[in-house]
Amino acid sequence: MAAKNTDRDNSQEEGPHFGSKIGLICSCLGCVVGTGNVWRFPRIVANNSGQEGGLAFLLVWFMFLLIWSIPMLMIEYGTGRYTQKAVIGSFREFIGDKAAWCGAWISMVTFFISCYYSVVLGWCFYYAVYCIGNELPETAEESRQIFRDYAEESSWPVLTHAVAVIVAGFSVIQGVKTIEKVNMVLVPSLLLIILFTFIWSLTREYANIGITYLFSPNWDSLKEPRLWVDALSQNAYDTGAGLGLMIPYSSFMTRENAVVKYATLIPTTNNLISLLSAILIFSTVFSTLTLTRPQIGETQIVDIVKDSGPGSTGLTFIWIPVLFSSIGTFGRVLCVLFFICLSFAGVTSLISNLELTTHTLYDFGVPRKLGAPITVVVTFLIGLMSALNIDILTNQDFVWGFALVVNGIMLQIMVISYGVNQFRQTIINEYSLDDWKLPRLWGWIVMFVAPLEAIVLIVWWAIDLISNETAEGEEWYEFGRETFITTITQWAVLMAILITVNLVVELVWRKQRVLSDEYERVYDQNSMDNLSDPTDPPHPSYGAIHDDTHSLKSYKDLTL
């Protein structure tokens, strides 16, 4: 083991890695702190709060941080640092080529998320510029029309989507050093904007009403399967657990980087940012509407927070401009800062998404300077569907957002197949130089608790979708935007393609290995014959076998 670790140390020293701890921390935070914290989290809390409050959801959400997100991120951090590969390469190293399709599933789910995520990032770019050059809308109807004119009745989303993937792709093509430098600028700027607007929101009159509602319990909501499903999927979405993003990022780490500390503190910090964002949004919405529309009650205000709008845009892109417009000139400044904040958060997260695909191609022999442009182009082309049709974006967010639970199951399978205790000791505890020790409790969570909660939630989620309409007129067996059959069909098609490709490649490699073994046998026999009679011609099959084996070597050089 010592010799093996020495070889890995030498490989790490030769390969690219983060230049400083602060750069590493900013990059990892940038990876997980994204628009989901500000754009998605407050709405998910509101949708699971009823009329009483959101405390019950927050408690379940925090519980899943401890028994799902942090344990899954321990796997990702440890895996990438040890293998120095992305997701597919890591699965192949730990449990063999037969499991490559599991790593491919994780990579593809994250890729599909990045395709529509870049469209949402393009919206943030547009609104940041729009709010600088135009007066803010004063009513929700005006605001909805602005969004419709931009996102549904024009081709501008194609351009902003392209800008988003190009900006993120430029950082990825330059490698880890540029990724680190970009995050060291954007992440502190993002945190300062969030902190500034958070403090401002607390000074607002009647802000306490929104905060009181947020932290008031609605215990009956614990009976709803949707709350548990949303709490787990949102926590995974928030922290990046199951996305596989931390595997390529941690491949730039060395043994000196404390992965247990990072996998604990970074997602905890990320969830704290989500909570601050929720307090910011709830206090701003309640205080502003109470001051400007005293005739509406708490129930109507909660309904506004829940308003998802087209493509889950309601609160962020419809109501935030309206709320800030009531504050006057300073409100416009705050609105610009808000969308710049969202843009920074989106860029740092999209960089990590594109890095996963680029690093995967690199593991298969595609140079970064070629792999990054390929990733950018394909992401743009697939994302065009979401840019041109907001219903497709809504569908993709629904289908692949919950697929993160399946991703977690794949990571658990990898560790269980390799050996939970062996992974804990060899990959993390013994391989780390200055880190917290990973306790046995983590192994019990990965072996028993996490798989059980994943299976229960998937079944509960399916029953809930089958029992209720997900949208008006959409039954579970219809191909709607957010129906059970739509989700399962897309999952099944992707899984069938990946398993088929994996089997075909396995058969090709197996055939080539047989040819290689035969070549070795014939070559050894010819060598022995030539020792006795040097004038004997080579075996007649030598040339053909040699050609096949040469092809095998070239193929393996490309793929490995």
Side-chain angles (χ1 to χ4, degrees), residues 489-505:
T489 299
Q490 292 185 60
W491 287 3
V493 169
L494 177 61
M495 198 167 290
I497 291 172
L498 295 178
I499 292 174
T500 301
V501 171
N502 201 158
L503 288 174
V504 170
V505 172

Side-chain angles (χ1 to χ4, degrees), residues 91-390:
F91 269 83
R92 291 173 65 188
E93 179 159 338
F94 279 125
I95 52 179
D97 294 336
K98 64 182 180 296
W101 73 270
C102 295
W105 165 272
I106 295 175
S107 300
M108 290 304 298
V109 167
T110 303
F111 168 74
F112 285 131
I113 288 175
S114 67
C115 290
Y116 73 80
Y117 188 89
S118 57
V119 176
V120 177
L121 176 55
W123 295 350
C124 298
F125 287 169
Y126 177 84
Y127 268 76
V129 175
Y130 180 89
C131 293
I132 292 173
N134 297 274
E135 295 292 333
L136 299 181
E138 296 182 357
T139 66
E141 291 70 25
E142 289 180 43
S143 192
R144 288 180 189 278
Q145 189 59 48
I146 291 170
F147 183 82
R148 279 195 295 267
D149 290 343
Y150 158 66
E152 299 181 57
E153 298 176 5
S154 78
S155 299
W156 279 108
V158 175
L159 177 61
T160 53
H161 164 55
V163 171
V165 292
I166 290 172
V167 168
F170 178 78
S171 300
V172 172
I173 196 172
Q174 300 297 321
V176 64
K177 296 299 183 184
T178 301
I179 292 174
E180 182 177 4
K181 291 176 182 177
V182 170
N183 279 296
M184 285 181 69
V185 174
L186 295 185
V187 171
S189 302
L190 162 66
L191 296 180
L192 284 174
I193 294 173
I194 290 177
L195 184 61
F196 173 77
T197 51
F198 169 73
I199 294 173
W200 168 83
S201 70
L202 296 183
T203 66
R204 298 279 292 162
E205 189 177 1
Y206 301 119
N208 61 302
I209 299 176
I211 297 172
T212 300
Y213 171 80
L214 179 62
F215 290 103
S216 295
N218 176 24
W219 302 121
D220 287 341
S221 64
L222 293 175
K223 301 174 185 178
E224 298 295 327
R226 174 64 63 176
L227 179 143
W228 295 82
V229 170
D230 283 351
L232 175 56
S233 58
Q234 178 60 38
N235 207 296
Y237 197 100
D238 263 357
T239 60
L243 279 167
L245 299 176
M246 286 305 177
I247 295 180
Y249 264 37
S250 58
S251 71
F252 300 128
M253 297 181 184
T254 65
R255 296 179 69 186
E256 286 80 11
N257 298 127
V259 295
V260 177
K261 293 178 182 177
Y262 292 142
T264 302
L265 298 177
I266 288 177
T268 302
T269 302
N270 173 77
N271 274 22
L272 176 60
I273 293 170
S274 290
L275 191 58
L276 293 179
S277 299
I279 295 172
L280 185 163
I281 294 296
F282 275 78
S283 58
T284 300
V285 171
F286 273 78
S287 66
T288 303
L289 290 178
T290 301
L291 286 169
T292 59
R293 303 183 186 184
Q295 72 278 8
I296 70 172
E298 184 175 290
T299 301
Q300 288 81 8
I301 296 176
V302 173
D303 288 340
I304 289 172
V305 180
K306 290 181 179 181
D307 179 18
S308 61
S312 302
T313 59
L315 182 60
T316 303
F317 297 96
I318 305 300
W319 276 102
I320 287 296
V322 175
L323 295 173
F324 281 130
S325 71
S326 65
I327 305 170
T329 303
F330 184 62
R332 187 170 166 185
V333 173
L334 287 173
C335 195
V336 171
L337 285 176
F338 177 83
F339 285 110
I340 289 175
C341 169
L342 278 181
S343 299
F344 284 2
V347 168
T348 56
S349 294
L350 186 59
I351 286 173
S352 61
N353 285 31
L354 299 185
E355 171 61 24
L356 173 59
T357 306
T358 302
H359 203 129
T360 300
L361 294 174
Y362 179 80
D363 287 346
F364 282 84
V366 181
R368 178 174 290 272
K369 290 189 176 181
L370 178 60
I374 291 174
T375 300
V376 167
V377 170
V378 176
T379 301
F380 171 74
L381 293 176
I382 300 296
L384 273 179
M385 294 185 293
S386 295
L388 295 171
N389 189 325
I390 203 166

Side-chain angles (χ1 to χ4, degrees), residues 381-403:
L381 293 176
I382 300 296
L384 273 179
M385 294 185 293
S386 295
L388 295 171
N389 189 325
I390 203 166
D391 288 336
I392 293 178
L393 185 147
T394 303
N395 168 264
Q396 293 297 283
D397 184 40
F398 181 79
V399 170
W400 304 116
F402 190 67

Side-chain angles (χ1 to χ4, degrees), residues 401-452:
F402 190 67
L404 295 179
V405 179
V406 182
N407 286 14
I409 294 175
M410 300 294 186
L411 291 171
Q412 294 154 23
I413 289 173
M414 181 185 75
V415 174
I416 293 171
S417 300
Y418 181 77
V420 174
N421 287 329
Q422 184 179 358
F423 188 96
R424 183 174 65 87
Q425 290 293 346
T426 304
I427 308 303
I428 296 184
N429 287 346
E430 294 176 2
Y431 196 65
S432 299
L433 296 180
D434 181 23
D435 199 359
W436 298 334
K437 291 296 182 183
L438 192 60
R440 290 184 179 274
L441 176 62
W442 172 86
W444 287 95
I445 292 174
V446 172
M447 287 182 66
F448 302 109
V449 178
L452 179 63

